[in-house]
């Protein structure tokens, strides 16, 4: 409880009676799951209102906030997902739906920047498609929890460019810094991407205002997104993060897990690359990410 004035037993009884009346209003719902969810939602919502003794001005401000979130939302911008992200709700849904399973790789938040029809690349191909940034050689394996290779797993990868923008945030319709690749006959994969850089989540709307009011940064820790699927296995949505990134402890959407922090090794432009690619004197990096999929179901 917050440090508000205690209420009389008569007042408490009135408030409790309202809760029971509202909860009972769902008794006739034909869908048992919907009934369960709505009853619980009402109990928790009322508990929150009573806990903080919410004022009418505060409730009106909350309605105005949600209205503004609705107005800024369209096909390209989803303010309600951002709200869910910064409240940690997205990560809690990920946690509830991706129960720890032996040594399976941990999942993290999906984010709003995945695109379903990204181009396919061959082993050793370049998923940057001209996006600006330092080249990064990414390699690893896809295995089951017993260590057996998973052949032909579909590996979707996507990331922001060095200016902190995904391709879909540009208005020229480009496709860049995203692709998919299939694990080879040994369950391995390798490709060129970009060394991840930090970027802010969209913060020019109500969610950004909320972050500012509470003194929180919109910055995400540097990361490279993966979605890995194969028949018979639980689809893994995750990212890898950069060890040493100072934003690891303050990621705006609570997506960082220690097991997903990887060593991105820096290399001078004069060093030979793993596949002999000419990086024209640019510095480059490399990282290894071995993926373990849990069985489906
Ligand atoms: C992302 O990682 O792409 C992301 C996640 C949550 C909110 C905004 C962006
Ligand atoms: Fe991202």
């Amino acid at each position: 409880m917050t440090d508000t004035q205690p209420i009389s037993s008569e007042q408490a009884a009135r408030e409790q009676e309202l809760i029971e009346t509202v909860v009972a209003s769902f008794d006739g719902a034909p869908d048992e799951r919907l009934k369960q969810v709505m009853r619980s939602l009402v109990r928790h919502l009322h508990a929150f209102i009573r806990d903080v003794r919410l004022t009418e001005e505060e409730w009106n401000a909350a309605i105005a906030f949600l209205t503004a979130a609705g107005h800024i939302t369209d096909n390209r911008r989803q303010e309600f997902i951002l709200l869910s992200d910064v409240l940690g709700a997205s990560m809690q849904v990920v946690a509830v739906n991706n129960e720890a399973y032996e040594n399976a790789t941990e999942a993290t938040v999906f984010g709003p920047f995945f695109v379903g029809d990204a181009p396919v690349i061959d082993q050793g191909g370049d998923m940057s498609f001209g996006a600006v940034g330092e080249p990064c050689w990414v390699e690893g394996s896809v295995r089951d929890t017993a260590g057996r290779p998973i052949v032909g797993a579909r590996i979707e990868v996507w990331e922001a460019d060095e200016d902190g923008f995904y391709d879909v945030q540009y208005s020229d319709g480009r496709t860049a810094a995203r692709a998919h690749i299939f694990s080879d006959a040994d369950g391995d994969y390798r490709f060129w991407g970009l060394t991840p850089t930090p970027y802010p989540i969209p913060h020019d709307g109500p969610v950004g205002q909320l972050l500012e009011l509470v003194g929180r940064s919109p910055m995400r820790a540097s990361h490279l997104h993966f979605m890995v699927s194969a028949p018979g296995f639980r689809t893994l949505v995750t990212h890898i993060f950069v060890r040493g990134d100072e934003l690891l402890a303050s990621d705006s959407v609570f997506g960082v897990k220690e097991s997903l922090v990887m060593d991105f090794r820096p290399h001078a432009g004069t060093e030979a690359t793993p596949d002999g690619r000419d990086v024209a004197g640019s510095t480059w990096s490399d990282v290894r990410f071995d993926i373990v999929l849990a069985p489906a179901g």
Side-chain angles (χ1 to χ4, degrees), residues 17-89:
E17 189 187 341
L18 174 62
I19 294 171
E20 299 311 328
T21 304
V22 180
V23 167
S25 75
F26 298 105
D27 285 356
D31 182 328
E32 283 302 319
R33 174 64 177 165
L34 182 60
K35 187 192 296 188
Q36 179 193 16
V37 169
M38 292 310 299
R39 284 172 165 173
S40 177
L41 176 65
V42 164
R43 286 200 188 280
H44 284 86
L45 177 62
H46 285 243
F48 155 70
I49 293 168
R50 298 178 75 201
D51 179 26
V52 300
R53 307 307 297 171
L54 198 71
T55 67
E56 289 176 333
E57 289 74 19
E58 289 164 343
W59 185 239
N60 288 337
I63 301 286
F65 175 88
L66 293 173
T67 303
H71 283 153
I72 203 172
T73 294
D74 60 19
N75 291 344
R76 298 165 67 94
R77 172 74 177 262
Q78 231 302 354
E79 197 73 1
F80 292 99
I81 294 182
L82 286 183
L83 179 60
S84 159
D85 294 338
V86 303
L87 295 181

Side-chain angles (χ1 to χ4, degrees), residues 119-146:
V120 66
I121 54 171
D122 293 329
Q123 293 297 337
D126 185 358
M127 60 80 91
S128 71
F129 292 105
V132 288
E134 181 186 72
C136 176
W137 176 256
V138 186
E139 66 180 11
S141 58
V142 186
R143 296 183 181 272
D144 67 13
T145 52

